[in-house]
Amino acid sequence: MSNKAKEIVRDFYESDILKDKTVLERYFHPEMVLIWNSPIGLSIWHYDELVNFFDEVRRSYHDLRLEVSHLLADGNHVTIRYKYYVRPWKIQMRNWESPILLQFGRLRMEKYFGDIK
């Protein structure tokens, strides 16, 4: 399962979530719960909150670029370390790029994907 789970996570993070609104429905179950430990504390989001978040990201940024530094799999867990860079919609700032998120996440794949082989 490790390699298949790793491929799914890689495919999601490499997708163009800003321009393709079907990404979330392809990769996330409607009953998913995202438990995220961020620098500002624990966040618990459900599917609709994730959709709303990315709708807001689409309104705010022209481009979203990802750098993955680590992608590891162990059984039914996948760990990824990444950094997002954004470019805002403002014309005068189109050549400006800024990192907005450095995250180290551990994903448990079995709940909604079942036995991935």
Side-chain angles (χ1 to χ4, degrees):
M1 174 163 90
S2 291
N3 286 335
K4 183 64 174 172
K6 196 170 158 180
E7 288 173 32
I8 291 169
V9 172
R10 178 184 292 125
D11 289 346
F12 167 72
Y13 278 96
E14 289 179 352
S15 64
D16 191 352
I17 200 161
L18 283 187
K19 295 181 179 69
D20 184 355
K21 290 188 175 190
T22 68
V23 170
L24 291 177
E25 65 189 49
R26 286 195 327 255
Y27 287 95
F28 290 94
H29 191 279
E31 296 175 16
M32 62 79 69
V33 177
L34 175 65
I35 300 171
W36 176 25
N37 286 304
S38 73
I40 60 170
L42 180 68
S43 295
I44 300 174
W45 288 4
H46 295 88
Y47 181 82
D48 289 340
E49 293 165 305
L50 194 61
V51 169
N52 292 337
F53 171 77
F54 279 105
D55 285 344
E56 186 61 34
V57 170
R58 282 184 198 94
R59 283 191 289 276
S60 301
Y61 301 109
H62 165 70
D63 189 35
L64 182 68
R65 182 174 64 82
L66 174 75
E67 274 184 13
V68 174
S69 61
H70 299 79
L71 183 59
L72 310 167
D74 182 18
N76 63 353
H77 290 87
V78 177
T79 300
I80 185 167
R81 185 165 194 246
Y82 58 89
K83 188 186 298 183
Y84 274 119
Y85 294 88
V86 294
R87 286 185 221 185
W89 274 106
K90 294 182 179 180
I91 298 296
Q92 66 270 27
M93 298 177 79
R94 283 276 174 96
N95 292 326
W96 177 82
E97 183 179 69
S98 173
I100 60 165
L101 178 66
L102 174 62
Q103 184 63 34
F104 192 52
R106 187 164 172 89
L107 309 166
R108 186 171 180 195
M109 301 297 292
E110 71 186 17
K111 182 160 184 174
Y112 296 113
F113 293 104
D115 186 21
I116 301 171
K117 294 183 178 166

